[in-house]
Amino acid sequence: MIGQTAEPHGGCAVDRDELAYLSDGRRRVALAALATLLLEGRMRLSHAGKLYPVAGAEAGDPVLEAALAQRATLKESLAALAEHESVRAVEEDLLRRGLVTRGLLGRFRRPTPEGMRMVEEARTVKGRGQAIAVALNGLAGISDDSIKRQFGAAKAGPLRGQGQGGWDARDYDSGSPGGSM
């Protein structure tokens, strides 16, 4: 199984979802969860481009459970999972713990200096596993070129319900904390 936690030097374990959120918000959490399931073979894409779980696949945490329940295209699943209550719970927990702060009018969330420190420490951990690599680096963290291409081709409509832009899977390549969210 691909590792789901990183052990920073300070000894505090940080999970895949927390690192993904601190690195680039809810969209990165969705990417990391779906990529983890595809890379581990617990989920596959049909010929029609829709996600489906492999028989006997188990989740292990609420975000992966929500990801395993996706039966849409990769594009649709990324957008839906980013807005799912399990991903929002990750965000709320980080807010409560003081690792993320609300921006103007409470709309934007950014990692606090402590949250940024946790991300930077996780980057230094050797043998952290691919799930953590994807959480920290987005598409660049996916070692399987076929899966990377599938995510790169998936473009979603506006996640915030505004304008025509939406997000582009290329947003996940930066690997910079606090990126586009």
Side-chain angles (χ1 to χ4, degrees):
M1 179 179 254
I2 295 174
Q4 293 186 19
T5 60
E7 190 76 27
H9 294 123
C12 177
V14 184
D15 74 16
R16 175 201 67 244
D17 299 328
E18 294 165 337
L19 286 173
Y21 189 92
L22 291 168
S23 295
D24 201 24
R26 291 191 311 250
R27 295 179 292 184
R28 179 70 63 85
V29 177
L31 172 74
L34 290 170
T36 295
L37 294 172
L38 287 166
L39 289 163
E40 292 179 352
R42 291 190 269 170
M43 196 163 225
R44 300 215 190 280
L45 280 168
S46 72
H47 292 293
K50 294 198 175 189
L51 288 164
Y52 67 93
V54 173
E58 295 182 12
D61 67 59
V63 174
L64 289 182
E65 185 175 318
L68 265 178
Q70 297 300 313
R71 300 292 186 278
T73 66
L74 192 53
K75 168 185 166 179
E76 295 163 338
S77 296
L78 283 164
L81 188 57
E83 297 299 323
H84 191 271
E85 66 187 55
S86 64
V87 175
R88 288 185 180 274
V90 171
E91 178 179 64
E92 291 302 317
D93 183 56
L94 291 170
L95 278 163
R96 182 186 54 74
R97 292 169 41 204
L99 298 172
V100 173
T101 185
R102 293 182 201 273
L104 294 174
L105 305 174
R107 291 181 58 198
F108 302 103
R109 281 126 171 112
R110 302 224 182 265
T112 62
E114 177 65 13
M116 296 288 287
R117 184 188 64 73
M118 293 176 82
V119 170
E120 291 310 312
E121 285 185 6
R123 288 185 191 285
T124 67
V125 175
K126 296 196 185 312
R128 62 183 176 232
Q130 188 150 354
I132 297 298
V134 175
L136 291 171
N137 304 310
L139 281 180
I142 300 174
S143 63
D144 183 304
D145 288 336
S146 172
I147 291 175
K148 187 184 292 189
R149 277 192 304 278
Q150 290 168 346
F151 276 104
K155 294 183 181 176
L159 288 180
R160 295 186 187 110
Q162 301 172 358
Q164 299 295 318
W167 67 274
D168 186 314
R170 291 174 292 190
D171 292 342
Y172 295 109
D173 286 332
S174 69
S176 62
S180 61
M181 197 61 184

